């Protein structure tokens, strides 16, 4: 009887342990402010989640499991789950290291001093869980030798950006650039700020920050696949100047009727991908994408480390379990044969090519191509060779420390694809679910914009951002010159800061071999002419659209939320870059401008932007 009783008790205990429940709650600091991006993991497993913009989380777990709450700058806390399903956590600031130096790959940066909060007892009477004390930590060694070693271990590469300066419309009448719908710079910048660091100057690409957000533009109503929107007002950071806002809205498509996808996941499983914010996060992100697949879609998986290999042959989207199982079996280890992986991925995509379909490689990596075809020029040649065969490549970046942004930007730009940086599961949801159509399906390719400014009204102008997307004037009419792609439902926004010509003033000293300007009265009401050139997805010849911009200034308070929010993001980018063009704007001005234009914020991205401003202010 005693043995039976013991067995019965053991079975009851196992039964209790195996009861799965949904745990939910919020995470705050000791002041009560919610903390977005807190990592919550099940101890002893790779399973986990993160808090959303409002500090809220949910996770499935069993009674008896231990949750680990971790957030940079705060003490990690472990909680053992008992009976209650609601667990609200208050994290204490880690004052032992906040007054020290944060080491990053581009140098040393002091973090602001913070006064330690008084210790507060956390009552667990109303919630049945146990707070597990942490073992004492060894104090970090910040000797000069340690600092040098840590800095050498963090090696992130960004292409140098020289900001666009003001141009004279007589000497440089045309401004020409390719559209850019990439958004990697914004989420990468967010990663730095949420880690208590200011991003490197060249990691801040202002056009990508602006285009991270969607805008409420009018839908296209004619034969063209996008509408054109324009607005002119005073420049918020320099009220004496004007700001011209140009917006494009791509047409939305019914995803059920969209062309079939032939996708190849090209996944980096080298040793550098072992961190929790790399391969483990990558698997979760790609599962979201797999769940969007239809029966007519196909997915293959190619991996590369010391060698490359085909993990999953091209498989119908109807077999999601098989695709997800292949993702779950991936493990990190070895060096990075990126070039060999690219070659194999293109072969698999070509072997399974779908006519009139979307044939695309989706590369997922931290960008650390250190074996094989590693130079930027070799990678570019490989991609361009396949681009004309309608096999495109998109890039998703993961991780930190050895992140190679410069290489991944080249791959996406040359491969007619998108470039996204995924720092958490919410960003994966944005890229692979909410913006799935625009990410996967191109509605217009080689989209170029050319603006000609009227020197009778414009003293000088500058394009805000797009430094890596500038084209020569003659490239606009050259259909062989590659440019950016527009996806279904995507918006593209560009801003010009304009110095208006003062009444009666000469725009410049007279030129010997050129007519200075048209006489006053000719095109007197026009500030500029803007031209758009694009190709249909399978076409070889481009289509031209021309519009004029009238010299009509709308007062800033009367502008649309599109205008005000995009200009706030641009100003924030200039402040992060410490741009010489930032004028007298401060972060508080950016927040005020952004806060006045948040009504169109279905997913909370604009609200998160204002929180990032607060983080930047602390730095």
């Amino acid at each position: 009887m005693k043995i039976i009783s013991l067995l019965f008790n053991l079975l009851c205990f196992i039964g209790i342990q195996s009861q799965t429940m949904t745990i939910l709650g919020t995470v705050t600091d000791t002041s009560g402010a919610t903390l977005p991006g807190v990592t919550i993991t099940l101890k002893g497993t790779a399973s986990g989640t993160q808090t959303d913009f409002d500090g809220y989380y949910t996770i499935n777990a069993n009674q008896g499991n231990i949750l680990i709450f971790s957030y940079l700058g705060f003490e990690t806390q472990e909680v053992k789950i008992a009976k209650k399903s609601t667990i609200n956590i208050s994290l204490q600031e880690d004052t032992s290291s906040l007054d020290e130096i944060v080491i990053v790959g581009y140098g040393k940066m002091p973090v602001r001093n913070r006064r330690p909060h008084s210790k507060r007892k956390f009552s667990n009477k109303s919630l049945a869980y146990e707070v597990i004390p942490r073992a004492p930590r060894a104090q970090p060694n910040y000797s000069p030798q340690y600092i040098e070693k840590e800095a050498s271990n963090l090696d992130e590469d960004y292409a140098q950006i020289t900001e666009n300066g003001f141009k004279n419309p007589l000497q440089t009448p045309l401004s020409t650039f390719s559209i850019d719908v990439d958004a990697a710079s914004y989420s990468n910048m967010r990663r730095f700020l949420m880690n208590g660091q200011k991003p490197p100057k060249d990691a801040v690409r202002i056009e990508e920050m602006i285009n991270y957000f969607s805008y409420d533009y009018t839908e296209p109503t004619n034969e063209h696949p996008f509408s054109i929107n324009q607005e002119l007002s005073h420049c918020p950071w320099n009220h004496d100047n004007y700001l011209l806002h140009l917006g494009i809205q791509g047409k939305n498509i019914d995803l059920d009727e969209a062309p079939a996808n032939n996708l190849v996941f090209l996944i980096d499983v080298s040793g550098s991908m072992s961190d929790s914010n790399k391969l483990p996060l990558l698997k979760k992100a790609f599962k979201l994408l797999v769940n969007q697949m239809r029966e007519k879609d196909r997915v293959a998986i190619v991996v590369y480390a010391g060698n490359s290999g085909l993990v999953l042959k091209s498989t119908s989207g109807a077999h999601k379990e098989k695709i997800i199982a292949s993702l779950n079996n991936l493990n990190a280890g070895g060096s990075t044969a990126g070039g060999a992986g690219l070659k194999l991925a293109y072969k698999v995509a070509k072997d399974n090519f779908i006519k009139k379909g979307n044939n695309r490689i989706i590369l997922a990596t931290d960008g650390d191509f250190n074996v094989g075809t590693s130079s930027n020029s070799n990678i570019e040649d490989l991609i361009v060779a396949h681009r004309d065969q309608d096999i495109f490549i998109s890039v998703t970046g993961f991780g930190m420390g050895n992140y190679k942004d410069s290489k991944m930007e080249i791959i996406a730009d040359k491969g007619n694809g998108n470039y996204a940086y995924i720092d958490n599961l919410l960003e994966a949801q944005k890229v692979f679910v909410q913006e799935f159509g625009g990410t996967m399906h191109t509605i217009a390719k080689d989209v170029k914009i050319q603006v000609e400014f009227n020197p009778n009204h414009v003293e000088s102008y500058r394009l805000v951002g797009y430094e890596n997307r500038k084209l020569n004037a003659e490239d606009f009419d050259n259909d062989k010159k590659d440019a950016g792609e527009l996806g279904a439902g995507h918006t593209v926004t560009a801003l010009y800061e304009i110095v208006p010509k003062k009444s009666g003033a000469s725009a410049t000293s007279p030129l010997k071999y050129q007519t200075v300007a048209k006489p006053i009265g000719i095109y007197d009401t026009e500030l500029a002419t803007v031209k758009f050139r694009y190709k249909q997805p399978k076409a070889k010849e481009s289509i031209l659209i021309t519009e004029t911009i009238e010299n009509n200034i709308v007062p800033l308070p009367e502008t649309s939320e599109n205008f005000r929010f995009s200009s706030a993001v641009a100003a924030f980018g200039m402040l992060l870059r410490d741009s010489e063009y930032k004028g007298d704007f401060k972060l508080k001005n950016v927040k005020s401008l952004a806060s006045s234009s948040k009504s169109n914020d279905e997913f909370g991205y604009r609200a998160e932007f204002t929180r990032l401003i607060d983080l930047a202010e602390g730095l």
Side-chain angles (χ1 to χ4, degrees):
M1 290 294 294
K2 189 174 182 180
I3 295 175
I4 294 173
S5 178
L6 288 172
L7 286 173
F8 178 78
N9 290 335
L10 179 62
L11 288 172
C12 289
F13 176 76
I14 293 172
I16 291 172
Q17 292 293 95
S18 62
Q19 290 179 15
T20 301
M21 65 175 71
T22 298
I23 306 298
L24 54 86
T26 56
V27 182
T28 63
D29 63 15
T30 52
S31 71
T34 56
L35 296 175
V38 175
T39 299
I40 303 109
T41 54
L42 284 171
K43 190 171 185 177
T45 75
S47 300
T49 186
Q50 286 185 316
T51 55
D52 65 13
F53 304 135
D54 298 311
Y56 179 80
Y57 75 93
T58 63
I59 188 170
N60 291 327
N62 296 329
Q63 293 182 27
N65 285 159
I66 294 173
L67 297 181
I68 302 174
F69 295 80
S70 57
Y71 194 56
L72 191 70
F74 289 78
E75 294 183 2
T76 297
Q77 189 165 304
E78 295 186 2
V79 174
K80 188 174 183 179
I81 301 169
K83 296 179 180 179
K84 297 292 184 181
S85 60
T86 300
I87 300 179
N88 298 319
I89 291 295
S90 175
L91 295 182
Q92 295 277 350
E93 286 185 299
D94 187 355
T95 57
S96 64
S97 61
L98 283 174
D99 294 335
E100 303 290 351
I101 300 295
V102 175
I103 310 301
V104 292
Y106 51 91
K108 305 186 292 290
M109 184 175 300
V111 176
R112 64 172 175 146
N113 292 330
R114 303 187 189 181
R115 291 179 300 176
H117 290 277
S118 59
K119 298 291 182 180
R120 185 173 77 177
K121 263 188 180 178
F122 190 85
S123 171
N124 62 355
K125 290 181 180 178
S126 60
L127 300 175
Y129 60 88
E130 175 188 355
V131 178
I132 301 173
R134 267 199 322 156
R137 277 192 325 173
Q139 289 297 314
N141 176 11
Y142 285 103
S143 66
Q145 294 84 0
Y146 177 85
I147 290 172
E148 183 178 352
K149 179 180 178 182
E150 287 299 299
S152 66
N153 288 338
L154 296 170
D155 181 21
E156 301 198 0
D157 289 345
Y158 299 93
Q160 184 176 357
I161 295 174
T162 301
E163 280 190 274
N164 294 325
F166 281 97
K167 302 291 184 182
N168 186 304
L170 289 171
Q171 297 168 341
T172 313
L174 300 174
S175 172
T176 310
F177 65 99
S178 161
I179 68 163
D180 188 3
V181 295
D182 294 337
S185 180
Y186 182 89
S187 49
N188 189 33
M189 171 275 298
R190 177 178 62 202
R191 181 254 297 188
F192 276 99
L193 291 181
M194 294 190 72
N195 283 345
Q197 303 166 354
K198 185 177 179 182
K201 182 177 181 179
D202 292 324
V204 179
R205 294 188 289 273
I206 293 176
E207 73 281 359
E208 292 189 20
M209 291 180 60
I210 294 171
N211 286 306
Y212 179 85
F213 301 93
S214 294
Y215 298 91
D216 188 21
Y217 298 138
T218 58
E219 293 282 339
T221 56
N222 53 25
E223 72 276 15
H224 301 296
F226 55 85
S227 66
I228 299 167
N229 304 263
Q230 53 176 275
E231 211 166 346
L232 183 67
S233 185
H234 292 282
C235 179
W237 54 87
N238 191 334
H239 202 69
D240 291 334
N241 292 347
Y242 298 160
L243 192 67
L244 172 62
H245 175 114
L246 298 175
I248 295 176
Q249 172 66 62
K251 71 177 180 180
N252 289 289
I253 63 173
D254 183 350
L255 292 182
D256 290 334
E257 303 299 324
N261 296 296
N262 165 35
L263 303 180
V264 179
F265 296 168
L266 175 56
I267 298 177
D268 182 352
V269 293
S270 62
S272 66
M273 291 290 291
S274 61
D275 295 342
S276 61
N277 60 353
K278 294 185 181 181
L279 187 58
L281 176 59
L282 183 158
K283 292 180 183 180
K284 296 175 185 176
F286 273 62
K287 288 174 189 176
L288 294 176
L289 176 54
V290 170
N291 285 330
Q292 306 300 308
M293 298 290 97
R294 304 159 299 179
E295 183 176 356
K296 64 181 179 180
D297 300 325
R298 304 193 66 81
V299 176
I301 301 177
V302 172
V303 298
Y304 64 93
N307 295 297
S308 59
L310 180 63
V311 170
L312 178 71
K313 295 181 179 180
S314 187
T315 301
S316 166
H319 303 294
K320 294 179 175 60
E321 298 83 359
K322 184 177 181 180
I323 302 170
I324 290 173
S326 297
L327 288 170
N328 287 336
N329 290 332
L330 299 181
N331 294 295
S335 57
T336 316
L342 278 172
K343 290 178 181 177
L344 178 58
Y346 275 118
K347 181 182 184 302
V348 173
K350 193 172 182 178
D351 290 344
N352 297 281
F353 190 87
I354 298 176
K355 289 185 177 180
K356 297 183 179 181
N358 171 38
N359 299 279
R360 187 179 299 267
I361 296 167
I362 302 179
L363 169 62
T365 177
D366 58 10
D368 192 12
F369 288 63
N370 55 21
V371 175
T373 304
S374 59
S375 73
N376 287 353
S377 60
N378 286 341
I379 291 172
E380 183 177 334
D381 291 342
L382 179 67
I383 292 165
V384 170
H386 291 84
R387 187 180 65 203
D388 292 340
Q389 301 174 29
D390 289 331
I391 300 176
F392 302 153
I393 182 168
S394 293
V395 181
T396 52
F398 292 83
M400 59 195 295
N402 61 337
Y403 188 61
K404 307 301 182 187
D405 174 87
S406 58
K407 290 187 177 182
M408 294 196 284
E409 186 184 14
I410 288 175
I411 291 172
D413 287 352
K414 299 301 179 182
N416 283 10
N418 308 103
Y419 172 30
Y421 175 79
I422 296 179
D423 56 335
N424 56 50
L425 204 55
L426 288 172
E427 185 64 18
Q429 177 87 5
K430 179 179 186 288
V431 172
F432 288 142
V433 179
Q434 293 158 11
E435 299 176 355
F436 174 75
T439 303
M440 293 294 113
H441 299 287
T442 299
I443 59 172
K445 67 179 183 180
D446 293 338
V447 184
K448 307 169 190 174
I449 300 176
Q450 186 173 77
V451 183
E452 180 182 357
F453 289 94
N454 184 352
N456 284 325
H457 294 298
V458 177
E459 182 77 27
S460 59
Y461 66 88
R462 67 177 293 263
L463 176 61
V464 181
Y466 289 93
E467 287 84 2
N468 295 343
R469 294 285 187 153
K470 289 191 297 184
L471 299 172
N472 296 325
E474 61 271 19
D475 293 335
F476 184 76
D477 294 319
N478 182 2
D479 281 351
K480 293 182 180 179
K481 184 67 177 180
D482 181 59
E485 279 60 52
L486 182 67
H490 262 161
T491 61
V492 180
T493 301
L495 303 176
Y496 278 95
E497 184 177 357
I498 297 170
V499 179
K501 183 179 176 182
K502 295 178 182 177
S503 178
S506 174
T508 186
S509 298
L511 301 175
K512 183 176 180 180
Y513 300 109
Q514 180 177 318
T515 302
V516 174
K518 295 288 185 183
I520 297 295
I522 298 180
Y523 308 126
D524 193 38
T525 64
E526 295 180 10
L527 183 82
T529 296
V530 58
K531 298 178 181 178
F532 300 82
R533 191 175 285 281
Y534 75 96
K535 297 174 187 170
Q536 297 287 352
K538 303 297 180 181
K540 301 298 182 184
E541 295 184 0
S542 63
I543 299 169
L544 176 67
I545 306 173
T546 302
E547 289 199 355
T548 58
I549 298 170
E550 296 298 311
N551 189 28
N552 294 327
I553 303 297
V554 176
L556 185 58
E558 298 177 17
T559 57
S560 68
E561 289 196 359
N562 297 328
F563 185 99
R564 296 197 302 278
F565 192 81
S566 62
S567 59
V569 178
F572 187 51
M574 286 189 283
L575 288 170
L576 290 176
R577 290 184 55 83
D578 193 23
S579 168
E580 64 177 292
Y581 306 107
K582 64 182 182 297
D584 57 1
F585 234 44
K586 307 295 182 187
L587 286 171
K588 64 179 182 180
N589 304 118
V590 175
K591 185 173 181 179
S592 176
L593 188 62
S595 297
S596 72
S597 48
K598 292 196 304 183
S599 63
N600 181 28
D601 193 25
E602 180 182 359
F603 299 107
Y605 301 130
R606 297 191 180 193
E608 183 205 37
F609 175 72
T610 60
R611 296 190 185 105
L612 292 181
I613 297 171
D614 291 335
L615 287 177
E617 204 163 18
L619 299 178

